Amino acid sequence: MNWETICNSLSSEDRFCAPIEVSGVEYDSRRVESGDVFVAMRGESTDGNQYIETAVTKGATAVVTDSREAYAKLRHEHAKVGAALVERGRRALAEVSSAVMGHPDRELALSAVTGTNGKTTTAFLLETILRSVHRTCVLIGTIETHVGLEVRVSPHTTPESRDILEIFAAGVKVGATEAVMEMSSHALEQERVWGLSVDVAMFTNLTQDHLDYHGTMEKYFAAKARLFSGVGSPPPRVAVINDDDFWGGKRLAHSSLQSEVMRYGMDGGDYRSEDVVLRAGETTFVFKTPNGDVPIRSPLTGRVNVYNLLAASCAALARGLTLEEVVAGAASGSQVPGRFEVVPSSLGFTVVVDYAHTDDALRNLISLARDLVKKHGGRVITLFGCGGDRDKTKRPRMGKAAGEGSDLVVLTSDNPRSEDPMVIIQDALIGVRETATTFIVEEDRAGAIEIAIRAARIGDIVLIAGKGHEKVQILKGGSIPFDDVAIAADVLRGTA
């Protein structure tokens, strides 16, 4: 593609639009190849402008920068290299990437979900329902990325715009017409999704999380709410909102939305669940809508998944499916990795791995487990830890949530990152000690999993919370392989 065309489309303060052909776009100098445009932008942990020289040396034929000093130096030292000075590097990255890749985002109907809890399961469910009517999809989320039938590892919940658009382009090549994305509050605030036109936007809920980054719940909500006003694009055509959640039903739904609004809930909303029946491995309810009522059955478990099913079902209706197609699609779903994932065992008790890493998610998880064991008088054993270098105020709340709902708490390490694991554990213990529940402290997570499982009796549920689908543990010295499901399975085999 011609650099002049790209250059003239940018909202730049200054530019050198030489007649140069460009073949790709990169923001990471390590990935630059000959013919690429290098977008140098200030990030949260590093400044890409420090790597302009490296990018040019590797063959970048044009550079977009958000640094006036870097732009002046580039024009002085590399006069033949195309250049553009912009105010916002991330916006420019999105604009250049879309142009170079042929605007693949325009070929896909995008459904996006945001919220503290439920994003991953809701996204998986919506993709499953869409695929059940033979629509080819792209899925971008926390656990994995799907390009048609191809499954890829997801390094981030929401990647940078260049990487999103590359995935979209791959999807278009295999005939995809739909895209489903999780959009995190960080990505929305940092404008990693700049310019993406969202057709259906979903809001699951908002509970305290990420305050180490956002500072207050109001700012956290404001970041999430950007999805519904459009991030460099028009507002979504349809907004699907959890009417039972305060921030959704009372705040977002009553803001100046320019979208068609579909409210869902177990207690309120125009799209509701009634006659809910929860069993291990099955959830059923009547889906009541303005256009009729239908029975929904899903292999997912628990009250929280009723909300996820409602959100995905509403989004599927918004994408043109019939109620009958939604019913069939919901029934065809399968267990989502790390979301109430049952580890197979024949020992008479249940071991579940779940991503719950906030006090609200932990409380919901334990409540579900309590409902499942109460018929047989079983106990709930909860293993959890708290992440390091994250919001410290939620640690005692998580401890209290675990203690209030469990019969035994095993407190351990999660992803301590740069912090001392025992310091994190002591913070969480403050909340556990507010309850009368028996607890065990074991810093080593693998050892803690063994303790929790060996403490179980017939009829009990062991909850291994916090890491879910993750395959590594992040320590001060780096990441090590760690899989809660695999470790639990090994302990179960040794216990049998």
Side-chain angles (χ1 to χ4, degrees):
M1 187 173 192
N2 189 273
W3 165 245
E4 286 184 300
T5 303
I6 299 171
C7 189
N8 288 325
S9 68
L10 283 172
S11 301
S12 56
E13 299 179 26
D14 198 5
R15 56 197 175 199
F16 172 56
C17 298
I20 299 166
E21 288 299 312
V22 299
S23 54
V25 56
E26 288 292 351
Y27 59 89
D28 185 335
S29 62
R30 295 168 295 186
R31 302 192 312 204
V32 168
E33 295 181 358
S34 180
D36 284 347
V37 179
F38 178 61
V39 180
M41 57 187 185
R42 301 181 183 91
E44 283 62 54
S45 57
T46 188
D47 185 349
N49 291 289
Q50 298 175 12
Y51 305 101
I52 290 177
E53 186 65 34
T54 300
V56 172
T57 300
K58 293 183 72 174
T61 54
V63 174
V64 177
T65 172
D66 57 8
S67 165
R68 190 171 295 279
E69 294 76 15
Y71 178 77
K73 183 179 180 182
L74 176 69
R75 294 295 302 117
H76 176 70
E77 297 181 359
H78 301 282
K80 294 183 179 180
V81 173
L85 173 65
V86 297
E87 182 181 359
R88 297 176 184 265
R90 271 207 169 95
R91 294 184 181 184
L93 177 64
E95 291 164 357
V96 172
S97 298
S98 184
V100 170
M101 295 180 195
H103 305 287
D105 46 308
R106 298 177 184 175
E107 305 299 318
L108 300 170
L110 175 58
S111 300
V113 54
T114 197
T116 306
N117 303 312
K119 295 188 299 296
T120 297
T121 302
T122 299
F124 263 77
L125 282 167
L126 177 56
E127 186 210 24
T128 296
I129 296 171
L130 292 171
R131 285 177 61 183
S132 74
V133 294
H134 310 293
R135 296 191 188 180
T136 303
C137 302
V138 168
L139 171 75
I140 300 177
T142 302
I143 297 177
E144 56 196 28
T145 294
H146 300 168
V147 179
L149 298 177
E150 180 191 356
V151 179
R152 304 178 180 180
V153 174
S154 289
H156 305 288
T157 297
T158 314
E160 293 285 357
S161 59
R162 179 247 176 246
D163 302 324
I164 293 170
L165 289 161
E166 184 177 57
I167 294 166
F168 282 4
V172 171
K173 284 184 179 180
V174 299
T177 58
E178 303 275 349
V180 182
M181 278 185 65
E182 296 178 50
M183 286 193 183
S184 67
S185 57
H186 293 70
L188 288 160
E189 184 160 304
Q190 294 165 8
E191 299 183 339
R192 281 185 248 152
V193 293
W194 181 263
L196 294 182
S197 181
V198 177
D199 185 59
V200 180
M202 293 160 277
F203 182 91
T204 61
N205 51 61
L206 197 76
T207 60
Q208 186 168 329
D209 198 15
H210 303 305
L211 295 195
D212 54 305
Y213 179 81
H214 295 290
T216 66
M217 286 295 290
E218 287 289 345
K219 291 180 179 178
Y220 182 31
F221 170 71
K224 296 284 191 188
R226 290 197 69 179
L227 172 58
F228 297 86
S229 58
V231 182
S233 62
R237 179 178 62 86
V238 179
V240 176
I241 298 173
N242 182 353
D243 199 58
D244 292 351
D245 179 77
F246 169 79
W247 294 94
K250 299 295 189 296
R251 292 290 303 275
L252 183 59
H254 288 280
S255 59
S256 300
L257 295 178
Q258 299 178 42
S259 310
E260 174 190 343
V261 178
M262 298 175 72
R263 297 169 179 252
Y264 70 91
M266 295 182 71
D267 301 319
D270 298 319
Y271 298 81
R272 302 189 311 279
S273 61
E274 290 190 358
D275 302 327
V276 177
V277 178
L278 305 176
R279 302 184 183 92
E282 183 180 66
T283 294
T284 63
F285 61 87
V286 175
F287 182 31
K288 298 187 72 66
T289 83
N291 297 312
D293 305 342
V294 290
I296 295 281
R297 187 193 68 79
S298 168
L300 300 183
T301 302
R303 179 183 173 90
V304 66
N305 280 318
V306 175
Y307 282 106
N308 297 332
L309 284 158
L310 287 169
S313 297
C314 286
L317 291 173
R319 288 298 310 134
L321 274 69
T322 66
L323 280 172
E324 291 71 24
E325 288 171 333
V326 168
V327 170
S332 70
S334 59
Q335 187 167 260
V336 180
R339 271 57 177 180
F340 208 85
E341 183 173 355
V342 178
V343 184
S345 168
S346 58
L347 297 175
F349 57 83
T350 304
V351 177
V352 171
V353 172
D354 193 90
Y355 190 54
H357 61 283
T358 67
D359 55 304
D360 182 67
L362 195 57
R363 192 171 286 108
N364 288 335
L365 174 65
I366 294 168
S367 175
L368 167 58
R370 180 64 64 194
D371 286 341
L372 295 175
V373 300
K374 65 184 179 183
K375 291 182 180 178
H376 308 289
R379 300 174 303 154
V380 176
I381 299 171
T382 302
L383 177 150
F384 82 102
C386 301
D389 300 336
R390 297 294 186 266
D391 181 9
K392 295 181 180 180
T393 66
K394 73 178 183 181
R395 294 173 186 172
R397 292 200 312 278
M398 288 181 67
K400 187 174 182 180
E404 286 178 338
S406 308
D407 298 289
L408 172 64
V409 172
V410 180
L411 190 50
T412 187
S413 181
D414 190 284
N415 290 317
R417 300 181 176 87
S418 70
E419 290 193 65
D420 182 339
M422 284 307 299
V423 171
I424 300 173
I425 287 171
Q426 291 300 323
D427 288 344
L429 268 178
I430 294 171
V432 178
R433 287 185 171 126
E434 290 182 23
T435 72
T437 299
T438 301
F439 64 86
I440 298 171
V441 172
E442 172 52 64
E443 179 184 339
D444 177 70
R445 190 173 180 92
I449 290 173
E450 182 167 7
I451 288 170
I453 290 175
R454 292 193 180 279
R457 303 191 295 254
I458 291 175
D460 291 350
I461 285 186
V462 178
L463 303 174
I464 301 173
K467 290 175 57 58
H469 64 282
E470 296 175 353
K471 304 302 181 186
V472 298
Q473 187 176 30
I474 308 171
L475 310 174
K476 188 172 185 179
S479 297
I480 62 170
F482 201 100
D483 184 339
D484 280 355
V485 174
I487 291 171
D490 285 345
V491 174
L492 287 165
R493 279 192 292 269
T495 304

